[in-house]
Every structure is written in structure tokens, then in C-alpha cells.
Amino acid sequence: MTPPVLCYHRIGGAPELGVTRVARSVFERQMRSLAEAGWRTLTLSEFAAPTTPHAPRTFLLTFDDGYESLAEYAYPVLERFGFTAATFLITDFVGRENRWDMRYTWRRLRHLDWMHIEHWRARGFEFASHGARHRRLTWVDDVTAHDELYRARTVLIGRLGPEAGRAIAYPFGAADARVQRLAQAAGYELGFGGVRGDAALPWHLPRVPVYMWDATNVPFGLRQDSLGAVGRFVAHVANRCAVGTSMLQAVRGRIWRPPGSTVDA
């Protein structure tokens, strides 16, 4: 059995009009509840180990986008409970404002800088690729997709070493067969998609996003009851609807959408 994978985005900080922000109190309560129930986080290497059976109640905890607030509101909480996490970085925006995204907050949000990243990496946290500019890879041509994948991996390896180039979390969870082939060709060993990924495909592994309404002690992605099933379905629908940034980029002429492509993979 492949262990479950959770995907958070923002923890605490300024309120937003979107759905990705999880309150710090909710996040801390969830992590405390999981720790008290005997859950343990995996590293990317442990998650990917092909010959090692995974213990019950183990999961991979991930963050997308790499917002600066993680260093204040998330990582210290995880460290307190003995948890670790992998954060997927948008390499062109490390230390910069999130101008790749639609504006959901009054002020633009900042991403972690290299000093923060290297500090928390030294404390056991992992960092990997979320692309160079957070483009929806299923909507861009091969040259652009390769640039997004290869350039991000090159930067991460150059700054953090070869382990940082191991995995890619596809922006918006969008990855069709073409994107998976390009990710493999760029050198990634693991690729994470959305809720409907395929655990049998190393370059299209499933993850369950945790959105603002996922406020129970055990997030939907770790639950095996009917509430968990419903929560995963709602997360899947929300993820497929999150095309505002992609459409804005398309209107601005920044990306090319292949004929016949779908909203998500």
C-alpha cells in the first residue's frame, strides 16, 4: 500500500478570498491529534523506498508554493511534534512576492527565501520542485514544459544538492501522459498529481489537498470512513475548479493551450 499524501498550501497569515489558507490553530490541532494517535511522517526517500514495507499510520506531509509564513506558523509546529515535511518550491519566486498567482489577499504574499530554506533543511525538512513559474504544464507546449521542469530542478540541485531534484509536484496537480514523460526525461524520480493520481505510476502519484473547510482533527486524506471519501471528492472538485490563475496567464498570452486539452489531467 502506498502511504497517503497530504498537501497543504498556506498556514496562517493574512486572510484570503481563496480556499487554500488553513488557520494556524486548525493546523496545530490536526498535527497534535495525529501525533497523539500514533501517526508518523515519512521523508521522500522513505516514501519512495520500493523494498521497505510502510508501517501503519505513516504519511507524507507536503506543502505547495513555499510561502514565507510556513517558517513562522507551520515548521515550528511540526518540529514540536517530531514531524517533517517536503515543501515544493516555485524556483523563480523564491524570496519574492507571489505575482504568478491571482491576488486573493490585500497585499501580495512572499515566498520563503534561500536563507529560510537552508535553515529548515538543516533541521530535517525537505524541499523539491513545484516548477519554475507555476505554469499549468498540460496547457503549455513541450519546450515550455521542459523549461519549467528542467530549470527548476537545476536550480534546486545547485542550491540544495541532488536530493532536492528528486520530486516534482505538478502545479494545479495537472499531469497527463505527455507531462509525465517530460518529467521523467528532466530527471525526476517522483511526480505528484491530484486526488485522482495513480499510486502505481511514480510520475503521477495521488495527493489530497487540505483546504480551509477540512478542519476535523484528522484531515480527509487520512480518513478511511465515509466522511473521508466525501472530503476527498470535494477536494478533487475544488482542485479541478482552481483554474483562475491558468486562465489569467492564458489571457495574458503567457501560455499556449494544446487543442483538445482538458481543464485538468
Short mmCIF file of all heavy atoms in Angstrom, two decimals, residues 219-262:
data_model
loop_
_atom_site.label_atom_id
_atom_site.label_comp_id
_atom_site.label_asym_id
_atom_site.label_seq_id
_atom_site.Cartn_x
_atom_site.Cartn_y
_atom_site.Cartn_z
N PRO A 219 -7.37 15.04 8.91
CA PRO A 219 -7.75 15.53 7.58
C PRO A 219 -8.35 14.44 6.71
O PRO A 219 -8.08 13.24 6.89
CB PRO A 219 -6.41 16.02 7.00
CG PRO A 219 -5.56 16.33 8.19
CD PRO A 219 -5.95 15.32 9.23
N PHE A 220 -9.19 14.86 5.76
CA PHE A 220 -9.91 13.91 4.91
C PHE A 220 -8.98 12.90 4.23
O PHE A 220 -9.34 11.74 4.05
CB PHE A 220 -10.71 14.65 3.85
CG PHE A 220 -11.78 15.55 4.40
CD1 PHE A 220 -11.99 16.82 3.88
CD2 PHE A 220 -12.60 15.12 5.44
CE1 PHE A 220 -12.98 17.66 4.39
CE2 PHE A 220 -13.59 15.94 5.96
CZ PHE A 220 -13.78 17.21 5.42
N GLY A 221 -7.80 13.35 3.85
CA GLY A 221 -6.88 12.47 3.13
C GLY A 221 -6.36 11.31 3.93
O GLY A 221 -5.80 10.36 3.37
N LEU A 222 -6.53 11.34 5.26
CA LEU A 222 -6.07 10.24 6.11
C LEU A 222 -7.22 9.42 6.69
O LEU A 222 -6.98 8.43 7.37
CB LEU A 222 -5.22 10.79 7.28
CG LEU A 222 -3.97 11.58 6.90
CD1 LEU A 222 -3.20 11.97 8.15
CD2 LEU A 222 -3.08 10.80 5.95
N ARG A 223 -8.44 9.82 6.41
CA ARG A 223 -9.60 9.13 6.96
C ARG A 223 -10.04 7.99 6.03
O ARG A 223 -9.98 8.13 4.81
CB ARG A 223 -10.76 10.10 7.15
CG ARG A 223 -10.47 11.24 8.11
CD ARG A 223 -11.64 12.20 8.20
NE ARG A 223 -12.77 11.56 8.85
CZ ARG A 223 -13.26 11.93 10.03
NH1 ARG A 223 -12.71 12.92 10.70
NH2 ARG A 223 -14.30 11.31 10.55
N GLN A 224 -10.51 6.92 6.62
CA GLN A 224 -10.98 5.78 5.85
C GLN A 224 -12.49 5.61 5.93
O GLN A 224 -13.04 4.61 5.47
CB GLN A 224 -10.30 4.50 6.35
CG GLN A 224 -8.80 4.50 6.17
CD GLN A 224 -8.39 4.70 4.73
OE1 GLN A 224 -8.93 4.05 3.83
NE2 GLN A 224 -7.43 5.58 4.49
N ASP A 225 -13.19 6.58 6.52
CA ASP A 225 -14.64 6.48 6.66
C ASP A 225 -15.34 7.22 5.53
O ASP A 225 -14.70 7.73 4.60
CB ASP A 225 -15.08 7.03 8.02
CG ASP A 225 -14.63 8.47 8.26
OD1 ASP A 225 -14.11 9.11 7.30
OD2 ASP A 225 -14.80 8.98 9.38
N SER A 226 -16.66 7.26 5.59
CA SER A 226 -17.43 7.91 4.52
C SER A 226 -17.15 9.41 4.45
O SER A 226 -17.16 9.99 3.36
CB SER A 226 -18.93 7.66 4.73
OG SER A 226 -19.35 8.14 6.00
N LEU A 227 -16.90 10.03 5.61
CA LEU A 227 -16.58 11.46 5.61
C LEU A 227 -15.29 11.72 4.85
O LEU A 227 -15.17 12.70 4.11
CB LEU A 227 -16.48 11.98 7.05
CG LEU A 227 -16.21 13.49 7.20
CD1 LEU A 227 -17.32 14.31 6.55
CD2 LEU A 227 -16.07 13.85 8.68
N GLY A 228 -14.32 10.82 5.03
CA GLY A 228 -13.07 10.96 4.28
C GLY A 228 -13.28 10.84 2.79
O GLY A 228 -12.70 11.59 2.00
N ALA A 229 -14.13 9.90 2.37
CA ALA A 229 -14.41 9.72 0.95
C ALA A 229 -15.08 10.96 0.36
O ALA A 229 -14.72 11.41 -0.74
CB ALA A 229 -15.29 8.48 0.74
N VAL A 230 -16.04 11.50 1.08
CA VAL A 230 -16.71 12.71 0.61
C VAL A 230 -15.73 13.87 0.56
O VAL A 230 -15.70 14.65 -0.40
CB VAL A 230 -17.91 13.05 1.53
CG1 VAL A 230 -18.48 14.42 1.18
CG2 VAL A 230 -18.99 11.98 1.41
N GLY A 231 -14.91 14.00 1.60
CA GLY A 231 -13.94 15.08 1.64
C GLY A 231 -12.94 15.02 0.50
O GLY A 231 -12.58 16.05 -0.08
N ARG A 232 -12.50 13.81 0.15
CA ARG A 232 -11.56 13.67 -0.96
C ARG A 232 -12.22 14.04 -2.28
O ARG A 232 -11.59 14.65 -3.16
CB ARG A 232 -11.00 12.24 -1.00
CG ARG A 232 -10.02 11.95 0.13
CD ARG A 232 -9.31 10.62 -0.06
NE ARG A 232 -10.22 9.49 0.13
CZ ARG A 232 -10.48 8.94 1.32
NH1 ARG A 232 -9.94 9.43 2.42
NH2 ARG A 232 -11.29 7.90 1.40
N PHE A 233 -13.48 13.68 -2.43
CA PHE A 233 -14.20 14.04 -3.66
C PHE A 233 -14.35 15.55 -3.77
O PHE A 233 -14.12 16.13 -4.84
CB PHE A 233 -15.58 13.37 -3.68
CG PHE A 233 -16.43 13.81 -4.84
CD1 PHE A 233 -16.19 13.33 -6.12
CD2 PHE A 233 -17.47 14.72 -4.65
CE1 PHE A 233 -16.96 13.74 -7.20
CE2 PHE A 233 -18.24 15.14 -5.72
CZ PHE A 233 -18.00 14.64 -7.00
N VAL A 234 -14.71 16.21 -2.68
CA VAL A 234 -14.85 17.67 -2.69
C VAL A 234 -13.51 18.33 -3.00
O VAL A 234 -13.44 19.30 -3.77
CB VAL A 234 -15.41 18.17 -1.34
CG1 VAL A 234 -15.38 19.69 -1.27
CG2 VAL A 234 -16.84 17.67 -1.14
N ALA A 235 -12.43 17.81 -2.42
CA ALA A 235 -11.10 18.36 -2.71
C ALA A 235 -10.75 18.21 -4.18
O ALA A 235 -10.16 19.10 -4.80
CB ALA A 235 -10.06 17.68 -1.83
N HIS A 236 -11.12 17.06 -4.75
CA HIS A 236 -10.87 16.83 -6.19
C HIS A 236 -11.62 17.84 -7.04
O HIS A 236 -11.06 18.43 -7.98
CB HIS A 236 -11.30 15.40 -6.55
CG HIS A 236 -11.32 15.12 -8.02
ND1 HIS A 236 -10.19 15.08 -8.79
CD2 HIS A 236 -12.37 14.87 -8.86
CE1 HIS A 236 -10.51 14.82 -10.04
NE2 HIS A 236 -11.83 14.69 -10.11
N VAL A 237 -12.91 18.07 -6.71
CA VAL A 237 -13.71 19.03 -7.47
C VAL A 237 -13.13 20.44 -7.32
O VAL A 237 -13.00 21.18 -8.30
CB VAL A 237 -15.17 19.00 -6.99
CG1 VAL A 237 -15.97 20.12 -7.63
CG2 VAL A 237 -15.80 17.65 -7.33
N ALA A 238 -12.75 20.81 -6.09
CA ALA A 238 -12.19 22.15 -5.85
C ALA A 238 -10.90 22.34 -6.63
O ALA A 238 -10.65 23.41 -7.20
CB ALA A 238 -11.95 22.35 -4.36
N ASN A 239 -10.08 21.29 -6.68
CA ASN A 239 -8.83 21.39 -7.42
C ASN A 239 -9.06 21.57 -8.91
O ASN A 239 -8.38 22.36 -9.58
CB ASN A 239 -7.97 20.15 -7.16
CG ASN A 239 -6.62 20.21 -7.83
OD1 ASN A 239 -6.35 19.48 -8.78
ND2 ASN A 239 -5.76 21.09 -7.35
N ARG A 240 -10.04 20.87 -9.46
CA ARG A 240 -10.34 21.00 -10.89
C ARG A 240 -10.91 22.37 -11.23
O ARG A 240 -10.79 22.84 -12.35
CB ARG A 240 -11.31 19.90 -11.32
CG ARG A 240 -10.68 18.53 -11.37
CD ARG A 240 -11.68 17.47 -11.82
NE ARG A 240 -12.14 17.72 -13.19
CZ ARG A 240 -11.55 17.22 -14.28
NH1 ARG A 240 -10.47 16.47 -14.15
NH2 ARG A 240 -12.05 17.45 -15.47
N CYS A 241 -11.55 23.00 -10.24
CA CYS A 241 -12.15 24.32 -10.48
C CYS A 241 -11.14 25.45 -10.32
O CYS A 241 -11.44 26.59 -10.67
CB CYS A 241 -13.32 24.54 -9.53
SG CYS A 241 -14.74 23.47 -9.85
N ALA A 242 -9.98 25.13 -9.78
CA ALA A 242 -9.00 26.18 -9.48
C ALA A 242 -8.17 26.52 -10.72
O ALA A 242 -6.97 26.26 -10.79
CB ALA A 242 -8.08 25.72 -8.34
N VAL A 243 -8.83 27.11 -11.70
CA VAL A 243 -8.16 27.42 -12.95
C VAL A 243 -8.00 28.93 -13.17
O VAL A 243 -7.57 29.35 -14.24
CB VAL A 243 -8.92 26.81 -14.16
CG1 VAL A 243 -8.95 25.30 -14.07
CG2 VAL A 243 -10.34 27.36 -14.23
N GLY A 244 -8.31 29.72 -12.15
CA GLY A 244 -8.25 31.18 -12.32
C GLY A 244 -6.90 31.67 -12.75
O GLY A 244 -6.77 32.48 -13.68
N THR A 245 -5.85 31.22 -12.08
CA THR A 245 -4.50 31.66 -12.44
C THR A 245 -4.13 31.22 -13.84
O THR A 245 -3.57 31.99 -14.62
CB THR A 245 -3.48 31.10 -11.43
OG1 THR A 245 -3.77 31.63 -10.13
CG2 THR A 245 -2.06 31.50 -11.80
N SER A 246 -4.47 29.97 -14.19
CA SER A 246 -4.15 29.47 -15.53
C SER A 246 -4.86 30.28 -16.60
O SER A 246 -4.28 30.63 -17.63
CB SER A 246 -4.56 28.00 -15.65
OG SER A 246 -3.89 27.23 -14.69
N MET A 247 -6.14 30.60 -16.38
CA MET A 247 -6.88 31.38 -17.35
C MET A 247 -6.32 32.79 -17.47
O MET A 247 -6.24 33.35 -18.57
CB MET A 247 -8.36 31.43 -16.95
CG MET A 247 -9.06 30.07 -16.97
SD MET A 247 -9.01 29.27 -18.58
CE MET A 247 -10.01 30.41 -19.54
N LEU A 248 -5.93 33.37 -16.33
CA LEU A 248 -5.33 34.70 -16.37
C LEU A 248 -4.04 34.70 -17.17
O LEU A 248 -3.80 35.59 -17.99
CB LEU A 248 -5.07 35.19 -14.94
CG LEU A 248 -4.49 36.60 -14.81
CD1 LEU A 248 -5.45 37.64 -15.37
CD2 LEU A 248 -4.17 36.91 -13.34
N GLN A 249 -3.22 33.68 -16.97
CA GLN A 249 -1.99 33.57 -17.74
C GLN A 249 -2.30 33.40 -19.23
O GLN A 249 -1.62 33.97 -20.08
CB GLN A 249 -1.17 32.39 -17.23
CG GLN A 249 -0.56 32.62 -15.85
CD GLN A 249 0.12 31.37 -15.32
OE1 GLN A 249 -0.22 30.25 -15.69
NE2 GLN A 249 1.09 31.56 -14.45
N ALA A 250 -3.34 32.62 -19.53
CA ALA A 250 -3.69 32.40 -20.93
C ALA A 250 -4.15 33.69 -21.58
O ALA A 250 -3.78 34.00 -22.73
CB ALA A 250 -4.79 31.34 -21.01
N VAL A 251 -4.97 34.46 -20.87
CA VAL A 251 -5.45 35.73 -21.40
C VAL A 251 -4.29 36.67 -21.67
O VAL A 251 -4.26 37.42 -22.66
CB VAL A 251 -6.46 36.37 -20.43
CG1 VAL A 251 -6.76 37.81 -20.82
CG2 VAL A 251 -7.76 35.56 -20.40
N ARG A 252 -3.30 36.62 -20.81
CA ARG A 252 -2.13 37.49 -20.97
C ARG A 252 -1.17 36.98 -22.04
O ARG A 252 -0.14 37.59 -22.31
CB ARG A 252 -1.38 37.60 -19.64
CG ARG A 252 -2.14 38.40 -18.58
CD ARG A 252 -1.38 38.40 -17.29
NE ARG A 252 -2.04 39.21 -16.28
CZ ARG A 252 -1.64 39.29 -15.01
NH1 ARG A 252 -0.59 38.60 -14.61
NH2 ARG A 252 -2.29 40.06 -14.16
N GLY A 253 -1.50 35.83 -22.61
CA GLY A 253 -0.66 35.30 -23.68
C GLY A 253 0.60 34.64 -23.20
O GLY A 253 1.54 34.46 -23.98
N ARG A 254 0.63 34.24 -21.93
CA ARG A 254 1.85 33.66 -21.39
C ARG A 254 1.96 32.17 -21.63
O ARG A 254 3.01 31.59 -21.48
CB ARG A 254 1.93 33.93 -19.89
CG ARG A 254 2.07 35.41 -19.56
CD ARG A 254 2.18 35.61 -18.07
NE ARG A 254 2.32 37.02 -17.76
CZ ARG A 254 2.37 37.51 -16.53
NH1 ARG A 254 2.28 36.70 -15.51
NH2 ARG A 254 2.50 38.81 -16.31
N ILE A 255 0.85 31.52 -21.95
CA ILE A 255 0.91 30.09 -22.18
C ILE A 255 0.13 29.73 -23.43
O ILE A 255 -0.67 30.51 -23.93
CB ILE A 255 0.36 29.29 -20.98
CG1 ILE A 255 -1.13 29.58 -20.76
CG2 ILE A 255 1.12 29.58 -19.71
CD1 ILE A 255 -1.74 28.73 -19.67
N TRP A 256 0.37 28.55 -23.91
CA TRP A 256 -0.34 28.03 -25.07
C TRP A 256 -1.09 26.78 -24.65
O TRP A 256 -0.55 25.90 -23.98
CB TRP A 256 0.67 27.67 -26.16
CG TRP A 256 0.08 26.90 -27.31
CD1 TRP A 256 -0.66 27.39 -28.34
CD2 TRP A 256 0.22 25.50 -27.56
NE1 TRP A 256 -1.01 26.39 -29.19
CE2 TRP A 256 -0.46 25.21 -28.74
CE3 TRP A 256 0.88 24.46 -26.89
CZ2 TRP A 256 -0.53 23.94 -29.28
CZ3 TRP A 256 0.80 23.19 -27.42
CH2 TRP A 256 0.11 22.93 -28.61
N ARG A 257 -2.35 26.68 -24.99
CA ARG A 257 -3.17 25.53 -24.62
C ARG A 257 -3.33 24.62 -25.83
O ARG A 257 -3.89 25.03 -26.86
CB ARG A 257 -4.53 26.00 -24.11
CG ARG A 257 -5.42 24.87 -23.66
CD ARG A 257 -6.70 25.41 -23.04
NE ARG A 257 -7.57 24.33 -22.64
CZ ARG A 257 -8.74 24.49 -22.04
NH1 ARG A 257 -9.16 25.72 -21.79
NH2 ARG A 257 -9.47 23.47 -21.70
N PRO A 258 -2.87 23.36 -25.74
CA PRO A 258 -2.98 22.46 -26.88
C PRO A 258 -4.43 22.20 -27.25
O PRO A 258 -5.29 22.11 -26.39
CB PRO A 258 -2.31 21.17 -26.36
CG PRO A 258 -1.50 21.59 -25.18
CD PRO A 258 -2.22 22.75 -24.59
N PRO A 259 -4.73 22.10 -28.55
CA PRO A 259 -6.10 21.78 -28.96
C PRO A 259 -6.57 20.48 -28.35
O PRO A 259 -5.84 19.49 -28.32
CB PRO A 259 -5.99 21.67 -30.49
CG PRO A 259 -4.75 22.43 -30.84
CD PRO A 259 -3.82 22.27 -29.68
N GLY A 260 -7.82 20.49 -27.85
CA GLY A 260 -8.39 19.29 -27.27
C GLY A 260 -7.96 19.00 -25.86
O GLY A 260 -8.36 17.98 -25.29
N SER A 261 -7.12 19.88 -25.24
CA SER A 261 -6.71 19.61 -23.87
C SER A 261 -7.85 19.84 -22.90
O SER A 261 -8.77 20.60 -23.20
CB SER A 261 -5.52 20.51 -23.48
OG SER A 261 -5.92 21.87 -23.47
N THR A 262 -7.81 19.17 -21.75
CA THR A 262 -8.84 19.32 -20.75
C THR A 262 -8.39 20.27 -19.67
O THR A 262 -7.23 20.65 -19.60
CB THR A 262 -9.17 17.95 -20.12
OG1 THR A 262 -7.97 17.41 -19.56
CG2 THR A 262 -9.71 16.98 -21.15
#
